[in-house]
Amino acid sequence: SFLALFCIATSVAMATLPDRVARLEEVIGSSATGALVARVVHLEVCCLGSAAAGPLPQRLDKLEEAAGCTAGDGAAVAVDAAPAPEADEVADAAASTQVDQPEVFALPAAKRRRCNELRQEGGYQLEANAGSVAPNPKAFKVHPLREEQLRSLAWMYSREACRDGFKGGMLADKMGYGKTATTIGMLSEKPGQVPDERPSGYIRNPATLILCPPHLVEQWEDEFFKFLGDEVQLVRPTPASTVKDRKRVAIQPIQFNGSWPFSVAGRAISELKASMHRQQAKVKEEKRLQVGDYVYSMTIKLAEGEYFVRDPFGREELSQTVSFNSRHHRIDVQGFLDENSRAGCTLHIVVEREKTLRMEPSRGEGPFRILTMATNSDWVRLKLGDLLSFNVVLVSTGILGCQQHMDRLRDTLNHWLREEYGNVSGRLMSVRQKRLHECVDKWHQKDCFLKAALRSSPALLETMWWNRIVLDEFHESESWVTRVRDVMKSLGATHRWGLSGTPPLDTTDAVLEVAELLWYATDATAPFMSEALKHRKSRKQDSKTWLADEENKQKIHGECQAMIRDVVRQNSSQLVEAIAVQEHEEFVQFTAQERLIYRQACHDHEMFVEQLAYEGASFDTREALLKRCAHFCLEMDAGDAGEAVRFLGRRKRAHIEQLQQQLELEASRAAHLSVWETAKHGLLADKAQHAEAEKFIHEVYQTSEQVWKEKDPEKKSFEMQIVLYDQNGERRLRPEVRFKQPFRDAHVYPRLNFRHVVQHAVARRCVPRADQILSELQVCSQICCRDPQHLPVAMSAGFQVLANLLDTAHRSLDFYTGQMRSLSDIESLRNEQCSVCLTPKDDLAALVMLPCSHIFHRDCVRSALETNPKCPYCRAHAPKKSMSSVLLEVEVATSAAEPLPAELRSHGSKLLAVARRLQKIRAEDAKAKAIVFVQWQELENKVARALQGHGLPVLQLPRGKNAGREMATVMKSFTTSEEAFVLLLSLEHAASGSNLTAANHVIFVHPMNADTLSSAVAYERQALARVRRVGQERAEVHVWRFVTRETVEEHMHQLHCRANPPDQARAGGA
């Protein structure tokens, strides 16, 4: 079988790799030892100058070509990851060709994947349209579509015309090629239709729902008016109503004759019975009770005589009346009526009605009506029935799953389904969505129920069955949290579309997630994909076994490729390809203090070989080092690098003190919980390498339980706090319980189950509110934290973590001290003797520093470390790769630094270089505009200050979940204002999909960081596409890359350049 041949070929190919490496080592003269990958990296550094990326066979091919030797008979051969498609699989309704260089999604660093199953590279090939061309949309008179857009439009028509199966797809035309215009063309030509039969759990709606990032709402609005002109009418929600905007109406008194003549859902009137209509027959319309009215207050006047009645708080009292008003917002109105009604009583009710309209036309008067909701306040303003009278509903994705959405969904379910399911608080979003569709079916049982829901229920998008759903910037779905994905999967539509210039199709797992959101994978269309999606949600061993089965993987891969072939298209545009890209490199040299801070970061993250940027460093390590390359201190406003160096030393000493305090606090907590004698053994689980750390740990270990209790008589170790808001000021969906202590709970107990066991053990004893919150968590039922055996194990693990952290902190401080000594007193260093060979250290080029900060001759310590990887002086662990050159540090320390004014020294070498380059650009071209890309918000703020310090006008995007329109306003200002020169964009505030063709310079302050090299390079292409797209009036755009020499950044830059060769010759930089 093909699978057997595949396994045999792969095993043969891999068996030849060690032989090829050995032959290359013989030719090049390398004597490296260790793992095969490390030996290959060493060969690449010797032969090519730096380590490469990619599969080992391909890397060996390059090495053999560079070394002038060829592979032997057993050389590795390329083996496809999946069987070739059959002939009949290649045929398609619309003719297509493969894209030469498909754009795939680069996952932003701040937006990680949630799933790990089926993460193997898919090797999927996208298709490009080569079929018929659709007629230009009739409304597109001023701006007709281009030929490649009309081909995409014809393909979209054909996908929606399918009789059976999935109707829709993903339009993946390359970034900047006009996907929005093509989609608008389809919407203008194919108006919505209502399904003949109502899908179960939904309300039929002929409109198209467009979901896009917040900052793109206004851009979509502008595109509608650009292409459709006078045909469009834009409607927006009015500002939220206040008490003054609502009127209160006292309803004619209502008689109770055994049953109430109306029903209430929550505080809204949901049904008027025949008896109610008879009572109100002669009442003025304004004084009549209406479906959808909100109850403000009620007073029940009893018949003659006094009764015991129950008020809204459950208290019984002797009275003739009972009432409540809207301050009792949690009141169950229907329950209040049922509880307090007596034969012959009269109800006096006051309702609230809005005086102002909830929405109003904002622009245009055409028949094509568009409702836009850019912020949470826009959405909160509307009711369910407001969604039914538009051609298009344009909504920000930031609304779905937000706190307001969660609250109103909960209230709606509690109002309508309390009898069936009780309170839904704390339920998973997937469960709430299922209940919501049951609620919609209940609304359709009676016309009055549906009428009441449309008038009073919030505008929950997932209750509608839309004619069409369009998910713009579809690749951002990878970063959506689970509750947002559950809402997206609950949205019903006849046609489902995704728009993305970089579709997330790089792995089988990613393709499955796309299929799930598009509703593609069903038992009929793709049975193995459907089965895989079910197993991915299960934690059972049978599911893991099924997913790991090679035959199942092959079948899933085949169905994934068939899906991409059928429902995904990606085109290119000659207009964009004609825009030249001029690449520039700007190399920056550290000052002595900056170099010290960077080397300290390398030591703390155990990054000793900078040529292993991707193979030997984690994502977080690269992030930390790239931040140090960009600026010497992001944590505070240091006056210069020297002040940052001093701050670094103070912080390391304070860190040690905090760790010691945390250890003592943890010991007191264990003593009060009566588990100290068992849990303390975690302190000695790993032997400390530093003498002072070892001494302190043993002192803590030898202290008795009684002494620890006496040191904490007030039980401060039991103090807890309940956090209601996150770091952005947004209210959390669920309060978080934490200890009051120097370190976050997650740092002491990285494992969630251990952290929960300790927190709950304390909360049960003295913090009832925290006990209640923790008891509602799913992890509480999973680990059965009341088991007494779990607590000492959990606390022992915490002691082990703290002991290791203390040891690491002491060694980090020693390295800092050693750097300060060696760089500040070079002559003293020359007079010292190497403790291995006992000769002077006079030749700085021959000296290296180990992580423990001790300095030796390179040859002396190398031979010593090959025998025993420990420092010859202090016996601290020191692998051979951890050696760093002393000469480089000294050369930086002794180099003449350019004198700078005090106000500029705080910006650092790289940001000074960026600012000066921008000054030159503006001096040479007064109309030029530049976009500066960084990856982190704190670095963006530093860049902004540096540019402003050089007199350069800078724009930054506003922050916050409801800042969509403000972001669009800033970007429009950058595009239209002649004074605007620089726009700062960070990955955490990435303006994906934005059209910024007014700029002709793109500046990367540092190489982009991602999980893989290909993802990082693809993200940089996405950034460039904000400028290099249709609408760019310049013949070329300039890309400036700033790189700090002799750092991991320089190696990453080399890898990025190899993976993404520039279209034009690269211009040399300073």
Side-chain angles (χ1 to χ4, degrees), residues 551-740:
E551 184 176 356
N552 290 338
K553 286 184 178 181
Q554 292 293 331
K555 291 181 178 179
I556 294 169
H557 187 283
E559 290 184 353
C560 288
Q561 183 61 68
M563 172 192 137
I564 294 172
R565 182 197 64 214
D566 294 338
V567 304
V568 182
R569 289 294 183 273
Q570 184 173 83
N571 287 333
S572 60
S573 170
Q574 294 181 355
L575 290 177
V576 176
E577 299 298 333
I579 302 173
V581 178
Q582 187 70 21
E583 291 268 356
H584 308 268
E585 294 172 332
E586 292 272 352
F587 290 100
V588 180
Q589 190 71 53
F590 270 146
T591 64
Q593 293 86 354
E594 290 173 331
R595 182 74 188 175
L596 185 149
I597 294 172
Y598 171 78
R599 291 304 304 169
Q600 184 68 49
C602 288
H603 172 272
D604 293 346
H605 291 85
E606 298 183 355
M607 181 63 179
F608 305 114
V609 182
E610 292 164 348
Q611 287 73 25
L612 295 177
Y614 284 96
E615 297 89 344
S618 66
F619 172 89
D620 294 330
T621 295
R622 289 194 301 274
E623 176 180 330
L625 298 184
L626 286 174
K627 286 181 176 180
R628 292 303 180 205
C629 291
H631 193 270
F632 49 76
C633 187
L634 296 179
E635 297 82 5
M636 60 171 287
D637 293 329
D640 54 25
E643 182 180 344
V645 169
R646 294 188 291 274
F647 168 73
L648 180 62
R650 292 195 299 270
R651 190 176 62 181
K652 289 192 172 299
R653 296 182 184 92
H655 182 61
I656 292 176
E657 293 178 1
Q658 290 176 342
L659 280 169
Q660 292 174 344
Q661 292 173 7
Q662 182 67 47
L663 259 174
E664 293 176 345
L665 191 69
E666 206 70 25
S668 297
R669 185 179 297 139
H672 286 300
L673 293 173
S674 303
V675 296
W676 167 246
E677 296 299 332
T678 306
K680 70 178 184 180
H681 298 294
L683 291 168
L684 305 182
D686 300 316
K687 180 175 175 56
Q689 300 178 27
H690 196 278
E692 292 186 23
E694 185 178 22
K695 178 182 177 182
F696 183 84
I697 291 170
H698 276 280
E699 289 176 355
V700 173
Y701 180 84
Q702 292 169 0
T703 305
S704 67
E705 183 174 293
Q706 184 60 34
V707 172
W708 286 122
K709 289 181 179 180
E710 293 172 355
K711 287 186 176 183
D712 184 24
E714 299 179 359
K715 294 188 177 180
K716 290 188 176 295
S717 58
F718 277 15
E719 291 183 355
M720 308 187 83
Q721 56 184 342
I722 299 174
V723 183
L724 301 179
Y725 298 90
D726 62 19
Q727 59 186 0
N728 297 319
E730 301 285 344
R731 189 176 180 89
R732 295 179 180 272
L733 296 178
R734 184 184 298 277
E736 180 182 354
V737 177
R738 299 176 187 169
F739 286 117
K740 290 183 179 180

Side-chain angles (χ1 to χ4, degrees), residues 772-789:
Q772 179 184 356
I773 294 172
L774 294 171
S775 298
E776 295 175 355
L777 296 178
Q778 188 175 4
V779 66
C780 188
S781 58
Q782 291 176 342
I783 63 176
C784 187
C785 60
R786 291 184 180 274
D787 189 333
Q789 297 180 354

Side-chain angles (χ1 to χ4, degrees), residues 47 67 155 157 391 423 522 634 636 681 773 944 961 1032:
C47 192
W155 174 75
Y157 288 163
N391 300 90
N423 195 320
T522 64
L634 296 179
M636 60 171 287
H681 298 294
I773 294 172
K961 293 183 179 180
Q1032 176 58 253

Side-chain angles (χ1 to χ4, degrees), residues 629-896:
C629 291
H631 193 270
F632 49 76
C633 187
L634 296 179
E635 297 82 5
M636 60 171 287
D637 293 329
D640 54 25
E643 182 180 344
V645 169
R646 294 188 291 274
F647 168 73
L648 180 62
R650 292 195 299 270
R651 190 176 62 181
K652 289 192 172 299
R653 296 182 184 92
H655 182 61
I656 292 176
E657 293 178 1
Q658 290 176 342
L659 280 169
Q660 292 174 344
Q661 292 173 7
Q662 182 67 47
L663 259 174
E664 293 176 345
L665 191 69
E666 206 70 25
S668 297
R669 185 179 297 139
H672 286 300
L673 293 173
S674 303
V675 296
W676 167 246
E677 296 299 332
T678 306
K680 70 178 184 180
H681 298 294
L683 291 168
L684 305 182
D686 300 316
K687 180 175 175 56
Q689 300 178 27
H690 196 278
E692 292 186 23
E694 185 178 22
K695 178 182 177 182
F696 183 84
I697 291 170
H698 276 280
E699 289 176 355
V700 173
Y701 180 84
Q702 292 169 0
T703 305
S704 67
E705 183 174 293
Q706 184 60 34
V707 172
W708 286 122
K709 289 181 179 180
E710 293 172 355
K711 287 186 176 183
D712 184 24
E714 299 179 359
K715 294 188 177 180
K716 290 188 176 295
S717 58
F718 277 15
E719 291 183 355
M720 308 187 83
Q721 56 184 342
I722 299 174
V723 183
L724 301 179
Y725 298 90
D726 62 19
Q727 59 186 0
N728 297 319
E730 301 285 344
R731 189 176 180 89
R732 295 179 180 272
L733 296 178
R734 184 184 298 277
E736 180 182 354
V737 177
R738 299 176 187 169
F739 286 117
K740 290 183 179 180
Q741 57 188 26
F743 284 83
R744 294 285 295 270
D745 302 9
H747 294 164
V748 182
Y749 300 99
R751 293 181 59 179
L752 174 61
N753 54 345
F754 287 167
R755 184 163 67 250
H756 179 82
V757 166
V758 178
Q759 289 176 337
H760 212 165
V762 174
R764 277 196 298 269
R765 285 168 169 79
C766 54
V767 191
R769 174 59 178 150
D771 179 27
Q772 179 184 356
I773 294 172
L774 294 171
S775 298
E776 295 175 355
L777 296 178
Q778 188 175 4
V779 66
C780 188
S781 58
Q782 291 176 342
I783 63 176
C784 187
C785 60
R786 291 184 180 274
D787 189 333
Q789 297 180 354
H790 290 167
L791 183 59
V793 174
M795 299 208 72
S796 179
F799 283 125
Q800 183 178 358
V801 169
L802 288 173
N804 289 333
L805 288 175
L806 182 62
D807 184 46
T808 302
H810 274 288
R811 289 187 284 115
S812 177
L813 179 60
D814 277 0
F815 185 81
Y816 169 84
T817 306
Q819 280 199 103
M820 294 292 290
R821 180 183 61 83
S822 62
L823 298 183
S824 60
D825 192 0
I826 299 173
E827 291 303 320
S828 174
L829 178 64
R830 291 179 185 273
N831 295 328
E832 290 182 1
Q833 289 186 337
C834 171
S835 59
V836 177
C837 65
L838 303 180
T839 59
K841 302 175 183 177
D842 49 359
D843 185 5
L844 296 179
L847 299 181
V848 293
M849 182 186 296
L850 297 183
C852 54
S853 77
H854 294 128
I855 297 175
F856 306 90
H857 288 125
R858 184 189 305 274
D859 294 337
C860 297
V861 76
R862 176 186 293 165
S863 58
L865 295 180
E866 287 178 352
T867 305
N868 186 8
K870 292 184 178 181
C871 172
Y873 186 82
C874 67
R875 312 307 296 168
H877 181 67
K880 188 170 64 174
K881 67 178 183 179
S882 64
M883 298 184 299
S884 59
S885 171
V886 171
L887 178 61
L888 178 61
E889 319 302 327
V890 173
E891 285 179 345
V892 172
T894 56
S895 61

